[in-house]
Structure formats: structure tokens, C-alpha cells
Amino acid sequence: MKRIHASNYSTRQLLLCLLVTGALAGCGGGGDSAETSVEAPVGTGAGTGETTTAGTTAGVLCDYFNDTYNNSASVDAYSTAQWSCTDTSRELSANGLPDHEVGTFPNAHNPNAISGQSVSASLALAPTQTSTVRSLGGPRGATGYVLNGVKIDADTAGSCDDSGAVCSLSDNSGGWSIEALGQTSFNFGTDDNNAHVQPGGSYHYHGMPEGFITKRGGSSTTMTLIGWAADGFPIYARYGYSQADDASSALKSMTGSYQLVSAISASRPSTDTYPLGTFKQDWVYVASSGDLDECNGRIGVTPEFPQGIYHYYATDSYPFFQRCVKGE
């Protein structure tokens, strides 16, 4: 049962927005305006030697509001998320509960139950892309948030030692980091949304959030904006223009630019036991081998940013979701 549509404000929404923001600014309607003005000058970061690309995301989904009852047995509660914009930042307040059908939690491979969280984030409204790569995830913080307020955290805490005889899905002290997706040696209990639950009850995505994409009407005929990265740049699901700077070009499924290593480390657990692709260290970034950079992003035009912007993708290929960001 859906109480309030995410794109149209009601009195109840305005009251909730005021409780979150303390002001009417950012609580108005019409956040999907096609009149967004985007500047994307290219220059050099002062004194850093970094190449930078600056732009603004103002006017895009600045009043996204979700208040949806999730009747999945593992949730049975309202999913709430409020996005608003100030002059300089994009603000999120949410309870971290998904607004789509989920799998059964706890389950045989994931012993944790979904519980509400206190999610608060402040992202840059005018993010600046640099050539510096900053890894996020786990204790370093979420790499981003889907619009429903659920965080993106693609890495795992699982690892194996060099022998492969000692492995744990919750201890990262081993030298070989286990991937949640794309391998069959370990089962992290993820559901059809490529998500599962952390010990504290936080439901989070490791890959394509299929249920949410369906709610957003995602298909092969349109680019679908599904969230915002920690640096403030937008995240899209699966499809992008085949020519990054041409909105009239055909849409295609984006592929990451990571390849399996060709030289296998002598210290790696046996590939007979754990095939290549089981561990994060099995993958290496090979520039231009796919459509995207090392953070699963690229510069290009999108429906919301017709003049172009740096943006990320959830992909069906490794790394599935970005593991790093390039924004300041």
C-alpha cells in the first residue's frame, strides 16, 4: 500500500519535510524539472595538478519524497526518505528501509533481520570531478544512496587466508577479499535485489537494485536515475547512451572496465577450489576495456543533464556498483 506518491507533495509531506529541514525551502513540488541548467567547464584544480570538471545538480529531484508501506514479511513497516536541496547541498533523511519487495531475512546464509536506521547525508549540490580516486565502503562510509534512502556498499567483510582453508564471511583479516556477487563459492544470502542485511539491521545493495529500478519504470528504452553518490554525482541503472555525448544515439547496457587478472599470484588460494572472480583481488582495472572508468563512471549527457555531467552506473558486470568516487 502506497500512501504518498514520491513526486507530488501533500500536507502531510510538507509537515514531514518541515520536521526534517526546519524550513519551507526545499519542500516545494516539481523537482523533476527539465529546465535544469548545467555548467560543465573543464579546468585544473588550483595547486593540485588534478584535472577537474565542475557542474551543478540543482533542480533535479530536489524534492524527492517517499513514504511507502512495505508489506514484505521481512520489513512490515513504512519506508521513508526525504531528499531536499539547499543552495550548496543535497540533504537526505531516511529510515533505511527498502520500498520494494525483499527476500527473507534472516535466512540460512544471512542471520540478520532488517531494522530501521537513522540515515542522514549531506552531498555536494555542485560536485566537482577530479582525477583523484577515493575508495569508500564499509567503515569508510557508503559510496552512495539509492533514492529510497538505502545505502550502496558493494564490498564485503568476508575474506580467506592464502591457503583458502580459513575463510570467514564476516572477518576481513584474510588477504583475499570475498566478493558478494559474481561467484558461486560463497553465499552471502543476498536477495533478488542483490542486497542483504548487516549485523546492525542495515539493508544495503551490493549490486543492481532490481526492485527499485522496476518501481522507477526502468527499461532498455530509457536511462533511469536511481540515486546519488557520496560526492554528489548521479547514479544510473544499467543503460546509457552508446555515444556518451549524443542523446540521440542508441541506449546500451553499460559494462565496467575490469578484467580478470592474467597472472595469478602464487599466494592466492587454489583456483581449483575458488575460481577466478571469487576475490576482489582477482579483478584489475583495464582502461577502455569497457564503457566506464575505475569508479564505474563517465562524463556524458543524460535525460536530467542534457549538457553533460560526470555520472556513475550500476552494471551487470563487475564491479556491479562503484567502489570509489572521483568527486571532491
Side-chain angles (χ1 to χ4, degrees), residues 9-87:
Y9 268 71
S10 69
T11 300
R12 182 174 185 273
Q13 284 178 286
L14 287 171
L15 290 172
L16 286 173
C17 179
L18 284 169
L19 289 173
V20 171
T21 65
L24 282 172
C27 292
D32 296 313
S33 172
E35 298 177 355
T36 302
S37 174
V38 178
E39 299 290 340
V42 176
T44 301
T48 67
E50 297 176 344
T51 300
T52 64
T53 302
T56 178
T57 66
V60 177
L61 294 176
C62 277
D63 63 354
Y64 186 93
F65 185 92
N66 168 66
D67 187 24
T68 303
Y69 180 70
N70 189 333
N71 63 3
S72 296
S74 298
V75 181
D76 192 25
Y78 280 93
S79 163
T80 62
Q82 168 73 59
W83 292 88
S84 60
C85 297
T86 69
D87 290 342

Side-chain angles (χ1 to χ4, degrees), residues 241-267:
Y241 296 116
S242 52
Q243 297 181 42
D245 60 351
D246 184 0
S248 67
S249 63
L251 287 173
K252 60 172 289 188
S253 181
M254 294 286 105
T255 58
S257 294
Y258 283 80
Q259 305 295 323
L260 292 170
V261 296
S262 56
I264 301 173
S265 171
S267 65

Side-chain angles (χ1 to χ4, degrees), residues 267-279:
S267 65
R268 186 195 186 280
S270 171
T271 55
D272 292 335
T273 305
Y274 304 118
L276 279 178
T278 300
F279 304 113

Side-chain angles (χ1 to χ4, degrees), residues 107-325:
N107 60 49
H109 301 285
N110 187 261
N112 308 312
I114 299 173
S115 63
Q117 309 293 307
S118 178
V119 179
S120 179
S122 182
L123 314 178
L125 191 65
T128 298
Q129 180 205 358
T130 75
S131 55
T132 299
V133 172
R134 181 161 54 101
S135 296
L136 293 175
R140 295 169 298 191
T143 52
Y145 297 90
V146 169
L147 293 174
N148 59 10
V150 175
K151 71 178 178 179
I152 298 164
D153 195 355
D155 287 329
T156 78
S159 67
C160 291
D161 67 358
D162 289 354
S163 71
V166 179
C167 298
S168 170
L169 301 190
S170 59
D171 181 357
N172 61 6
S173 62
W176 297 89
S177 305
I178 304 171
E179 285 292 328
L181 307 177
Q183 53 82 21
T184 58
S185 299
F186 300 94
N187 190 333
F188 283 86
T190 54
D191 63 12
D192 291 342
N193 304 293
N194 298 298
H196 66 176
V197 188
Q198 292 173 336
S202 179
Y203 184 85
H204 61 286
Y205 300 113
H206 284 267
M208 200 77 67
E210 300 289 6
F212 184 75
I213 295 169
T214 298
K215 284 178 66 70
R216 289 282 287 166
S219 72
S220 60
T221 63
T222 183
M223 287 187 66
T224 305
L225 196 162
I226 59 170
W228 301 97
D231 57 7
F233 285 112
I235 305 170
Y236 289 82
R238 193 174 273 122
Y239 297 105
Y241 296 116
S242 52
Q243 297 181 42
D245 60 351
D246 184 0
S248 67
S249 63
L251 287 173
K252 60 172 289 188
S253 181
M254 294 286 105
T255 58
S257 294
Y258 283 80
Q259 305 295 323
L260 292 170
V261 296
S262 56
I264 301 173
S265 171
S267 65
R268 186 195 186 280
S270 171
T271 55
D272 292 335
T273 305
Y274 304 118
L276 279 178
T278 300
F279 304 113
K280 184 175 183 177
Q281 292 81 6
D282 292 341
W283 296 95
V284 61
Y285 172 65
V286 180
S288 302
S289 62
D291 302 299
L292 308 173
D293 65 17
E294 62 267 52
C295 295
N296 242 32
R298 71 172 184 175
I299 297 174
V301 297
T302 78
E304 291 79 11
F305 303 99
Q307 296 183 42
I309 194 171
Y310 183 74
H311 56 286
Y312 301 97
Y313 286 89
T315 54
D316 294 308
S317 58
Y318 191 89
F320 309 113
F321 255 130
Q322 76 269 21
R323 315 292 178 95
C324 57
V325 294

